[in-house]
Amino acid sequence: MAEPRRVLHVGRGAAGFQAPGEGAVVLGHCDYEPPLRLLASGADAAGPQDHWWTTGAPPAAIEAFDDGQGLGWRSDSEWTFGRLQLPESAASAGNDLEALSHAAYTRLFAALAQAGTPQLLRLWNYLPRINQEQAGLERYRRFNLGRQAAFQQAGRSAFDGAPAACALGCPGPADGADGPGASGCSGLTLYFLAGRQPVTPVENPRQVSAYRYPSRYGPSAPTFSRAALADLGSGRTGLFISGTASIVGHETVHLGDVRAQTRETVTNLRTVCEVASQRAGRCFAAEQLELVVYLRHPADLDAVREDLAAALGADSPALRGAIFVQADVCRADLLVEIEAHGLPR
Ligand code: 3EB
């Protein structure tokens, strides 16, 4: 008989979080700050390190790896959480973000094989100056070239079945925030959550799949699914919703109107929840999601929070647990992007 699967939990809080039962071991957490800047958090969110991925596996079962060159992960052999940080410097192939993202993803895939957890659930991508041009192409589009090529060369689908993800921009050294001290964003930063079993991808019928975006958004499409459903063990299902924005079809809507963009984003989140609920046979409600809200302009915080509260309820778990961070969104005309987790508690 197969060994029982280890269970993945999320613990919440900045430190000393509410552990899910005794002996929970932390696999890791995503640092939203740095590389980004925390603007605000709801009453139930403790701060930027609000989601700690934990396991019930005994501490002795945890493998920890750090190659001393930016790649580190912890795994219980069922689940792996890690990060990869690649500085952008002369060493990184002529400062070309395409080569850098290709190298990053190639290293990531090798690390997942080494950990025995090849299936990606969720990726977080942070890169400096995401909307700036580099040799005639926006850096986000260069990043997409390298990412898609790495998926294909590794024999992974860059289309249907791609993991859930987000891609956000942070200020780079060239913006005057010199070095990691000021912004922590001196290069490409990836966080990753992976497991042994493939996830169930979820798309949004209101939106063209991102991996099918037409070439006017760049020579290679972005590599992510709108959401991923994952069996977290013990009959628990988690929903990982990618960065979600004010896009209908493949087009940005409500140019320059952050409030309308926020409302459209909530409609997209609700739609993804509906599709995921049908697929999973359990209910994911937008009001119950754990939100990370990325704002291009810190001055928009109050307006966005107001519209989110109107849509989801000021006292909803979603609002009480939300964190708000400053980040550049990967399309220059997007003012807000929201990622979300629907997790069993
Ligand atoms: C969008 O819907 C907004 O490149 O990994 C959202 C989530 C977006 C993930 C990515 C980009 C990514 O196209 C941008």
Side-chain angles (χ1 to χ4, degrees):
M1 211 180 87
E3 263 186 64
R5 298 184 57 211
R6 301 192 197 279
V7 178
L8 183 72
H9 292 281
V10 59
R12 305 203 64 193
F17 58 87
Q18 197 79 40
E22 247 173 76
V25 174
V26 172
L27 290 177
H29 64 269
C30 183
D31 271 312
Y32 295 99
E33 179 188 52
L36 305 176
R37 180 158 66 93
L38 182 71
L39 297 172
S41 52
D44 295 346
Q49 299 177 352
D50 196 49
H51 298 99
W52 297 74
W53 305 102
T54 71
T55 168
I62 307 299
E63 184 181 359
F65 178 86
D66 196 320
D67 74 353
Q69 296 183 47
L71 172 65
W73 49 263
R74 286 161 61 83
S75 179
D76 66 0
S77 78
E78 182 84 42
W79 307 104
T80 301
F81 188 93
R83 56 121 182 81
L84 177 54
Q85 266 169 316
L86 289 180
E88 262 190 294
S89 64
S92 57
N95 205 25
D96 182 338
L97 196 55
E98 177 183 348
L100 195 68
S101 71
H102 187 276
Y105 273 87
T106 303
R107 274 175 75 188
L108 166 61
F109 297 146
L112 297 181
Q114 188 188 335
T117 56
Q119 304 289 345
L120 279 163
L121 279 71
R122 179 66 162 91
L123 280 153
W124 292 258
N125 301 282
Y126 299 109
L127 45 139
R129 291 166 279 114
I130 193 168
N131 299 130
Q132 273 181 26
E133 284 206 356
Q134 191 174 53
L137 189 65
E138 186 191 34
R139 284 164 53 80
Y140 174 60
R141 299 177 181 199
R142 287 207 174 277
F143 164 80
N144 279 331
L145 280 167
R147 175 171 58 173
Q148 191 194 74
F151 269 78
Q152 288 176 315
Q153 277 164 30
R156 290 171 177 259
S157 174
F159 304 96
D160 310 65
C166 59
L168 284 306
C170 42
D175 300 336
D178 229 342
S183 67
C185 198
S186 59
L188 180 60
T189 301
L190 264 62
Y191 290 94
F192 51 92
L193 180 62
R196 303 178 81 88
Q197 316 281 338
V199 297
T200 303
V202 174
E203 289 301 296
N204 178 346
R206 302 183 78 235
Q207 298 183 310
V208 171
S209 293
Y211 46 77
R212 304 275 179 222
Y213 281 167
S215 58
R216 65 185 249 212
Y217 302 102
S220 282
T223 307
F224 69 97
S225 294
R226 296 297 176 190
L229 279 165
D231 175 356
L232 303 181
S234 293
R236 296 152 67 255
T237 303
L239 175 62
F240 298 81
I241 303 183
S242 294
T244 302
S246 182
I247 294 174
V248 178
H250 55 70
E251 269 166 305
T252 303
V253 293
H254 314 301
L255 295 181
D257 183 345
V258 73
R259 285 180 176 267
Q261 287 199 9
T262 302
R263 293 190 292 267
E264 196 72 52
T265 300
V266 171
T267 303
N268 280 326
L269 288 171
R270 285 196 194 282
T271 305
V272 170
C273 282
E274 280 164 24
V275 176
S277 298
Q278 283 169 9
R279 195 76 51 82
R282 64 154 278 201
C283 181
F284 293 100
E287 290 77 7
Q288 307 280 334
L289 294 172
E290 295 176 3
L291 306 180
V292 180
V293 183
Y294 297 100
L295 297 176
R296 184 180 293 278
H297 303 301
D300 289 338
L301 174 63
D302 289 344
V304 170
R305 199 154 38 178
E306 240 175 69
D307 277 49
L308 280 178
L312 300 172
D315 270 327
S316 63
L319 262 284
R320 293 182 62 89
I323 70 168
F324 296 82
V325 291
Q326 195 279 318
D328 293 335
V329 187
C330 61
R331 281 189 192 183
D333 51 17
L334 289 173
L335 301 171
V336 58
E337 178 176 308
I338 303 179
E339 69 175 40
H341 304 111
L343 296 160
R345 281 159 211 270

